[in-house]
Amino acid sequence: MRPSLIRRASVAALVLAATVTPALAAGPDTATRTDTASRTEIRTGTAVKFAVGAKARLLGEKIVPHKLGFQDTTVGGLSGIDRNPCTGEYVMISDDRSSLQPARFYTARVRVDGAGVHSVDFTGTHPFLQPDGSVHPPVSAGDGRAVDPEEIRVDPWTCRYWWAQEGERPKSPDQPVIQPSIRFAGRSGSYLGQLPLPAAYEVTLGDRGPRRNKAIEAITFGEGGRVLTSAVEGPLLQDGPEPTLEQGAMARVTRQDRGGDVLGQYAYPVERIFTASDPSSPWPPDTGVPSILAFPEDPSRYLVLERTWVAGSGYKIRLYDATTRGATDVRTFDSLAGRDVRPMRKSLVVDFHDLGLSTVDNTEGMTWGPTLPGGERTLVLVSDDNFADDAVTQFVALGIRTR
């Protein structure tokens, strides 16, 4: 999803609307309502504990120079990040669809501790390769072999890479359909295979499957690497409409084993749009789930990132603590519309506007960093600037307490 590109295109329209002011507080924000309703109570005697409820505090941030040149590539579009346990480095995926340079990933040393993000030093970059060893062509080639890279994870068993790409739902029948996929790559980008996906994730030319730019954008390993969980960014076409000011929507979260067998699938409740869009903008709000991260000690528990862009108000980034425990397994449901479904429960961890950051931008990737001396885990996040001049590549570090 590329809301910053939409933002660039709408600048002219916003400038003309001199009498319109941002309406950040004008619309309903449902975080409090949803969080209160979605907490899970566990009763032991007279004590009550919440099953989800992590807390976060800002450790620091670092902004990388815009369009930084590195090894004959342009650094940007960083949509996913993960820490490599074999090297201690971080790997980041760029969502450049081979428009500037071939679809690729970067490695970097990111120095993070309880005092913040001290440095980001890029150490390498490699293109993702096709089975024949060639790089991926741009969308303009029209041959159906382009990719839309969005997420990358380090395999905890091998330290090779698993990466997700959204594919393409064509705008017209004469354009090729490109299916979303989760692929395996060597540490230099070589093609090693891909994971079979649930049938519901298939892009069709009809009214079924993922919406355009709303397919797989989030994957995470759990249970020590035995389980791969993926989330589609927004509701499938057959599952109902996208979020509005009045109501949220359901996105599917799927747990699979390493061979692709589906272990469970659940409905994740995406928040409704937080405020009304500037009426002078031709661009609608854009919202969804760009990243999901498993808690190492609890296979049913995840951090879920929700990112929303609204014309005239910019970005709202919210982090949730969510669980599949008690949620309805919907793997056999052809559609969620009109079904009695118990969704995943979630609790707000933090709204990025409450952190005191220099800017709140298009944050899309997150990973666990080192554990701090006091027991807090670090959470390292990165924003996708989409190579736009009015956006930034921002690394943010949070301290997370799980209880």
Side-chain angles (χ1 to χ4, degrees):
M1 179 160 66
R2 296 173 177 77
S4 66
L5 296 182
I6 295 174
R7 182 175 59 180
R8 271 198 300 171
S10 62
V11 166
L14 294 178
V15 169
L16 291 175
T19 61
V20 179
T21 57
L24 186 60
D29 186 334
T30 63
T32 302
R33 172 190 56 80
T34 299
D35 298 336
T36 301
S38 62
R39 286 182 177 138
T40 308
E41 293 187 358
I42 300 176
R43 297 184 179 271
T44 53
T46 58
V48 177
K49 295 183 179 180
F50 291 122
V52 290
K55 302 299 181 185
R57 67 183 180 97
L58 178 66
L59 302 177
E61 63 174 310
K62 178 72 69 175
I63 294 178
V64 171
H66 187 57
K67 294 185 179 179
L68 175 70
F70 179 77
Q71 294 185 3
D72 298 321
T73 70
T74 306
V75 175
L78 301 183
S79 296
I81 184 171
D82 205 17
R83 189 167 184 252
N84 190 328
C86 292
T87 65
E89 291 187 321
Y90 292 78
V91 59
M92 291 150 284
I93 195 168
S94 172
D95 70 359
D96 180 2
R97 304 184 68 181
S98 297
S99 297
L100 297 177
Q101 294 95 33
R104 60 197 177 277
F105 64 91
Y106 293 91
T107 55
R109 289 188 297 271
V110 182
R111 193 161 68 89
V112 176
D113 59 25
V117 185
H118 300 285
S119 61
V120 178
D121 299 310
F122 290 91
T123 58
T125 184
H126 295 279
F128 290 110
L129 302 180
Q130 300 184 86
D132 64 3
S134 62
V135 299
H136 289 277
V139 177
S140 58
D143 60 3
R145 297 191 300 159
V147 290
D148 185 2
E150 294 291 352
E151 180 72 285
I152 191 165
R153 293 296 178 194
V154 180
D155 186 336
W157 291 8
T158 67
C159 288
R160 293 172 175 171
Y161 304 129
W162 292 40
W163 61 285
Q165 64 90 25
E166 286 197 289
E168 180 71 278
R169 174 179 287 274
K171 294 180 179 179
S172 62
D174 60 325
Q175 296 175 330
V177 172
I178 303 175
Q179 294 299 335
S181 59
I182 298 173
R183 305 186 182 192
F184 320 138
R187 291 175 65 179
S188 60
S190 57
Y191 178 88
L192 300 178
Q194 64 183 54
L195 186 75
L197 296 180
Y201 284 13
E202 181 180 357
V203 173
T204 71
L205 291 177
D207 57 356
R208 310 190 61 74
R211 287 173 161 82
R212 194 166 188 272
N213 283 331
K214 293 294 176 67
I216 302 172
E217 190 153 337
I219 63 174
T220 182
F221 279 105
E223 298 190 32
R226 292 184 294 275
V227 174
L228 190 284
T229 300
S230 62
V232 288
E233 191 173 359
L236 302 179
L237 286 168
Q238 66 266 32
D239 287 341
E242 294 189 88
T244 65
L245 281 170
E246 290 74 34
Q247 64 182 22
M250 296 293 178
R252 297 200 188 205
V253 171
T254 304
R255 289 166 45 86
Q256 295 177 263
D257 66 21
R258 296 174 69 94
D261 289 339
V262 175
L263 306 175
Q265 189 176 88
Y266 309 94
Y268 174 81
V270 180
E271 291 293 301
R272 57 183 176 174
I273 302 300
F274 67 94
T275 192
S277 184
D278 189 308
S280 70
S281 172
W283 305 107
D286 203 347
T287 191
V289 176
S291 191
I292 185 171
L293 185 63
F295 281 84
E297 74 282 359
D298 185 345
S300 68
R301 190 178 177 193
Y302 300 91
L303 286 179
V304 181
L305 195 65
E306 293 191 37
R307 180 271 326 277
T308 305
W309 177 84
V310 175
S313 295
Y315 288 99
K316 180 171 280 292
I317 307 295
R318 286 173 286 195
L319 183 66
Y320 290 91
D321 185 349
T323 180
T324 59
R325 187 171 289 121
T328 304
D329 188 340
V330 300
R331 74 178 97 174
T332 62
F333 290 17
D334 181 64
S335 169
L336 301 182
R339 298 296 298 263
D340 183 14
V341 171
R342 178 179 293 179
M344 293 172 62
R345 295 177 292 270
K346 67 179 189 179
S347 177
L348 181 68
V349 177
V350 69
D351 183 323
F352 273 38
H353 278 98
D354 297 330
L355 287 173
L357 293 164
S358 62
T359 185
V360 175
D361 212 88
N362 186 31
T363 304
E364 289 199 348
M366 63 179 174
T367 183
W368 296 116
T371 301
L372 299 179
E376 279 182 306
R377 284 196 178 95
T378 55
L379 183 71
V380 181
L381 304 102
V382 68
S383 67
D384 171 8
D385 70 347
N386 286 307
F387 305 96
D389 291 338
D390 60 347
V392 298
T393 298
Q394 178 189 43
F395 288 79
V396 173
L398 303 180
I400 301 290
R401 289 200 178 275
T402 59
R403 285 287 185 266

